[in-house]
Each structure stands twice: as structure tokens, then as C-alpha cells.
Amino acid sequence: MWKLKLSEGNDPWLKSVNNHVGRQFWEFDPHLGTPEERAQVENYRNEFTKNRFLTKHSSDLLMRFQFSRENPCEMKLPMAKVRSEEEITKEVVDSTLRRSLRFYSTLQAEDGFWPGDYGGPMFLLPGLVICLYVTGALNTILHNQHRQEMCRYLYNHQNVDGGWGLHIEGSSTMFCTVLSYVTLRLLGEEMDGGDGSMEKARKWVLDHGGATHIPSWGKMWLSVLGVYEWSGNNPLLPELWLLPYLFPAHPGRLWCQCRMVYLPMSFLYGKKFVCSTTSLVLSIRREIYTIPYHQIDWDQTRNLCAKDDLYYPHPLLQDIVWACIHKAVEPLLTRWPFSKLRQRALDSVMQRVHYEDETTQYVCLGPVNKVLNMLCCWVEDPNSEAYKCHLARIKDYLWVAEDGMKMQGYNGSQLWDVSFAVQAILATSFADEFAPMLKKAHNFMKNTQVRTNSSDDFNDWYRHISKGAWPFSTPDNGWPVSDCTAEGLKARILLSRLPPDMVGEAIPADGFYDAVNVILSLQNNNGGFASYELTRSYAWLEMLNPAETFGNIMIDYQYVECTSAVIQGLKSFKKSYPGHRKKEIEACMEKAIDFIERTQQPDGSWYGSWGVCFTYGTWFGIKGLVAGGRTYQNSNSIRIACEFLLSKQLVSGGWGESYLSSQDKVYTNLGGGKSHLVNTGWAMLALIEAGQAERDPSPLHRAAKLLINSAMETGEFPQQEIMGVFNMNCMISYSAYRNIFPIWALGEYRNRVLLQ
């Protein structure tokens, strides 16, 4: 059986800045479990597979089964259900909240965080498998049980038509269908394997034009494997890193998630690296194209992209730029004396790869650049210490559930989830009853704050200050995030107001001051806050976005979520430390409020860039404005935002927004008028904050009824459709949201609606 390990690190190649607190990974133990327990796990798997076309999202049942044995929950409180809003009483809400919190406490690690699945994208796992195959470490790192669970995951998330979507709920794309098919072949599946699934996948690819129509990221991976030619790629010049920083398109000016992916890609392109040709590689060449491999005109494939994948079509200008570089510049750079410039650029790129690796303890910013960096280190030196350190961190990205083994979109969402969970628990007014949860969470947040900048010369590496920030996951990752820092600050301030014997000692004031310093340093001239860094270049750079699959990747744009979180965090800090940088904080908040008001949609909503979608953005929009002193009475923005939310409430009393809202930028309900408890929680929190209870509490009563009646026998809330998003078009799982936001919403409802 698989076992989840927490906050451990016993590999000599592992490095950590906080003794691995927050780390989560799975290991297979062949001796673990009784026959009955193993049968139960197999039943979870079979049930998921049976219902895989109806329920795309796993429920983390393997983790819950493990925790039920290690930390059993004796639920003695009665389960409450109500037939009408009139039956909702304080006692009913209290019982629901206590049951939910009691269960949620059993999922908390001793180190204070809540482990969970942060998967969803389908293009992550193939990169890892291709990299390990290329480096010859596939069977060493991925044992038979790993490979079996990875195959299970891929087959479980194959669509009815034979293809795979960009994410687990998406319609089929060439990008993920080709990569998933190739991955299954590398994992040992035969051409006719999977009870016909492999044949269906291959048919989908060929019916849609073959693998020449894969988007640019897919072209790069296939080129590395040797089943696509580098001449069929648009240029990824490493020489760009040698340009002066004043150049608007300098890579150091790009959004960090973009530049840290294209950094190692440019190394592989500059080297034109291809793995050794094997019989399997030759076979795959024959399987995924509509014409023989040697007859393909690779120059004509550079800009081919299947219509199913084309979210961001290349402007004509971009195609002209790539054609000129491909035909005139790249040939020069491969010949003496210009080849010396190429080598200098490759050396510079590898220095930056090593800097990223070493300052993140080889976790790296995210899974894509993690795998690419690992491959670059191997290409540079197969026996290097860097490559061995990378191998030790692979398991940080792998997660096992009843749907199989997936690769996560980060090394977890630990800090982000904890900061929200703390606020949710405190909103219930049951802090004294659940003080152990809060104390452990408080300790985790202390252990997760970033203590130092990435280095003394961080500017030379195009990094922002990080001392005092909170990361999205763990300090081993260490990248500072604006809203994580703001939410972390807010949660820590709230905890500091409680007795130390209840939640532990507060951090010294200097820790808060450092967090505020990071936050203030991240405000852009227009008042808004981006995700990781200041916005460093111009929106017109998006014309050069080479990734056909994703939108808004070129620069770090400003977001309503990040800006709102900052206003809320600074308001909490200002209340506890009114004299510290008072004028700067007030000026920052005013500019941020103005940004939120200016970015509101005409219908009253805000587009949510990190959650699905308009309910998420509007929750943050309203929260930020209220924290900044705006009210329903004095703010037209809040009034029309409330009207927007009320107009989207369903007959059931809830809200249910589809991921298509993010993709299409138009509010779209889930199919069948279905409610989603997380959307409902966001909408309730926004309306309560805007004083809906004083005007007409009936929409809140209806929503509360839905939440109360949706609680399961265990006390927790069910997993529903995917709720996270990035780059407009790709969805990602926030598995803790299923409990955090119903608890938070019911807590606020209890204290600010029912008891008022």
C-alpha cells in the first residue's frame, strides 16, 4: 500500500531551510495494510474508474483512509438537516460547524498544515516521464508501483473520444493526447494496450492531423525525445539572456513562471539536444504521424497547431519574427565565430539554472521548470551533484489518490491553505474548542515565513526581495508571492490577538515588519499587485507569447485577488501596529482601492484569474473595497457587485460556476443548474461582507441551507468540480477548498447573520 509521509527528509541529497516542515510525499510499502485494508483501497480505485466520465475529480480517499486509521474521528455530534430556511437555528449551524471542524482536524498534519492534491493539469506528468526516460533513470526512480499508478491516472482521465484534455475536466487537445500517449508507451504500455484505449488515443491524434499539430511546448518535449525534429520548432534563443536589461523583451522582464520555463528550454534548443535513439523511439515515430517520419517537411510544421489547442493564436507579427530568426539568425549562431556567442549564452543560462536550483533546494518554482532544469543538469553532466539533488526532489511533486499517481502543479499549496483555514476557523468563534488546530497552524506559519533574500545579489538574477514573505507552499520553494504574504500576514495578525497559551507565541514585530516591507515593495504604479514580482514590462509583449495553449503569460499582470489580499492584510497590520510606516501604508491602500474600482467589469463582477471565476474575483473585489473603508451605502462598485452575485444565485440557493467562465471570460453555470459549495461559500462571504444581512438576509438563508444539507456523514463536505485556474485556460485542484469555504461561510453566517 501507499503511505503518505509528512515533513520528512532522509535522503543524503536533500537540502532544506526548515528541516522539511511542510513536505508531503508518497512511498510504497509492500508490507503495509491488512487484506481488508488493501481490498478497501482497491474498491476506491474501482469506483473511481467506474464513474470516471461522470466524476473527473478524485476525493483524496487514500489519504483520508490512512488518516482514519492513524487519527480516527469519533463523531458523536448529531447530523443536522433542514427542510426550510425557517428551520435554520444557531444550534443547527453550530452542530454542522463542530462536526466539520472535528473532521477537518483529523486531516491536519502534526506540523500544522493540511496535505492534499494539487493536481489537475495533464501536461505535467509527461514531461517528468520523458525526462527520466531520456536520462536513463525511468526504472530506477519510478518503480513498478509508480508506473502502474501513473498508467492508472492517465487511463482514468482519458476522454470518451480517446483524447486527453489540458486538465482533468477539459475537452481533448493534441498537446495532452500526444504527450499522454507517448508517456504510456514509455511506461511500458503496448500499442494495443489499455483494452483499446491506446488505439483510441492514436486514432484521435491521426484523425486530428497527427503530432505535427502539437503546440510549441509539446514540440519541444518530442524533440528532446527524438520523435520530432528541432527544425520544426520556432527559435528559443539562449542569446536573449545576454541582451541589456533595458531591452523591453529581455527575459528578466518576463513573468517568473514564463521566464523560468523558457530559460531551460532555451538551453535545450541551443544545444539541439536529442536523446539516444531506441527501438521504442523509432516505433513512436511511426505511430503518431499521418505520413512517414522521413517525409515530413519540418519547416512547415513550426506554426502548426490543432484548432482544439489554439487558445492564443500567434499574431502575424510573431510568425514573421520567428521566421526571420529561424532562417537568418539561428544558422549564423551555429557557425564560427558566432558559435562562440552561442556557447557564452549557454553558459550564462546554466548559471541561472543552477541559481534557481540552489535557492529553491532543487524544488524549483514549479513542476515544468523543475523537470527541465533537471534535464539540463543531466545534459551538462550526467554524474553531477545537481542532477542527484534533483532526483531526490521528484517525489515532492507526485501525489497518489484513488485515480492514480499524478504530478502536482507545485510542491503543494500548504501555506495558502493554512492561511485560509485559520481565517475560516476563527470566523466560527470556536477558536477555544479547536485551539490545538490553530496552535499547530500557527507554528507552521512561523516555520514557513521566508527568512532571507534568495541571495545578496538577487537583483543580478532578476529576483525580487523575499525576506519576510510567505511562499505559496514551503520555504524550500521560497519564491515570495504577494497574496500569500498578505493572507499569511492577516492570519498571523489574527492569531497574535489570541492568548499565547492557546495558539502559541506570536512572532516578533520584526517578522511582521519584514512582511509589510515585501508587500509595499510589490505595488505597481497603477496601484495593483501582480503575483510574484513587480510588472516589469509592457502588455504588448503578449504579441510574442509563443505558447498557443495559455493566455497572459508574458508579464506578471496585476490581479484583483492579489490587490484585495494586500488591502486586507495591511488593514489588519495597521490595526495592531498603527505607527509603523503609516503614511506609506495608507497611500498604498488608497491606490490599491482605486485599482480595484477601475478593473471592475461593467456587470459588477471581477474576473478571477486564480479561481473559478467571477464569483471568486467578486469575493476578493468586495472584500478589498470593504477593507479599504467602502460600504454598500457609499460605493456604487459594491452595490453593482452585490447585484451581480444575487443575479447568479440558483434555485437551490447556491452558486455553481463552470471552469468555462475562466476560459471564455463569460459567466457560465455548471451543467444542469448544479450548485458548487465552494462558489457558494465565496458568494456568501462577499455578500455578508457587503452587509446583505441588513438589507435582505433571505439569499443568505437559502445558501446556508444548501451548505448545511450538503455536509456528509463524516462531517466534511463533498469534492465537486475543479475550482482553481491559471493563465485563463488551465484548471488546477485546490482540494482543501471543499472544507475551508463552507466552514468559513457558515461561520460568518452564524455570527453576522443568524445572531444579528
Side-chain angles (χ1 to χ4, degrees), residues 34 45 111 171 181 234 286 289 308 330 339 346 451 455 481 484 500 577 669 686 706:
T34 65
R45 291 167 173 157
D111 281 326
S171 56
Y181 176 85
N234 279 320
R286 294 190 294 269
Y289 296 106
D308 309 87
E330 177 61 18
S339 57
L346 292 173
R451 305 296 182 189
S455 65
V481 189
C484 296
Y577 298 91
N669 284 318
L706 174 72

Side-chain angles (χ1 to χ4, degrees), residues 207 276 528:
D207 286 350
S276 302

Side-chain angles (χ1 to χ4, degrees), residues 120 160 285 307 704:
V160 175
R285 287 182 181 179
K307 62 180 178 60

Side-chain angles (χ1 to χ4, degrees), residues 377-594:
C377 290
W378 182 85
V379 171
E380 183 185 48
D381 179 1
N383 298 310
S384 66
E385 179 177 322
Y387 175 62
K388 294 171 184 174
C389 289
H390 265 298
L391 291 175
R393 281 292 189 180
I394 288 173
K395 62 178 65 175
D396 292 52
Y397 280 99
L398 299 178
W399 187 264
V400 183
E402 66 271 23
D403 59 341
M405 176 175 278
K406 63 204 76 177
M407 192 169 190
Q408 301 186 105
Y410 225 75
N411 63 320
S413 53
Q414 294 89 321
L415 184 281
W416 185 245
D417 293 340
V418 168
S419 63
F420 277 154
V422 165
Q423 295 175 70
I425 296 166
L426 293 176
T428 66
S429 298
F430 295 151
D432 53 340
E433 291 184 43
F434 295 94
M437 288 173 75
L438 291 171
K439 191 169 189 175
K440 287 191 285 187
H442 196 189
N443 285 333
F444 176 77
M445 298 187 79
K446 291 177 188 175
N447 286 319
T448 308
Q449 189 172 19
V450 179
R451 305 296 182 189
T452 62
N453 292 321
S454 57
S455 65
D456 292 336
D457 57 347
F458 59 88
N459 282 320
D460 295 341
W461 305 95
Y462 312 115
R463 290 288 299 271
H464 197 80
I465 63 169
S466 52
K467 181 184 178 184
W470 273 280
F472 182 73
S473 56
T474 65
D476 281 345
N477 168 282
W479 277 80
V481 189
S482 62
D483 53 356
C484 296
T485 302
E487 296 292 350
L489 174 66
K490 183 168 52 161
R492 290 297 308 277
I493 290 287
L494 291 171
L495 289 168
S496 72
R497 296 171 185 163
L498 298 176
D501 60 344
M502 182 173 156
V503 297
E505 294 290 337
I507 62 171
D510 285 351
F512 292 125
Y513 296 164
D514 287 341
V516 169
N517 184 55
V518 172
I519 289 171
L520 293 176
S521 74
L522 285 168
Q523 187 168 39
N524 290 284
N525 291 334
N526 66 356
F529 284 79
S531 54
Y532 290 86
E533 299 161 336
L534 288 165
T535 304
R536 296 175 174 178
S537 198
Y538 308 97
W540 58 258
L541 270 184
E542 209 63 43
M543 288 191 297
L544 298 177
N545 174 2
E548 306 89 341
T549 309
F550 307 112
N552 283 11
I553 71 166
M554 293 299 284
I555 62 173
D556 204 347
Y557 293 88
Q558 305 90 39
Y559 303 101
V560 63
E561 301 101 304
C562 299
T563 307
S564 170
V566 162
I567 296 171
Q568 297 173 58
L570 290 178
K571 180 189 177 184
S572 296
F573 173 80
K574 188 179 166 188
K575 187 174 180 180
S576 293
Y577 298 91
H580 184 76
R581 301 178 71 170
K582 180 180 178 181
K583 290 184 178 179
E584 292 174 76
I585 289 172
E586 289 175 350
C588 172
M589 291 176 66
E590 278 305 313
K591 287 176 66 178
I593 292 165
D594 181 62

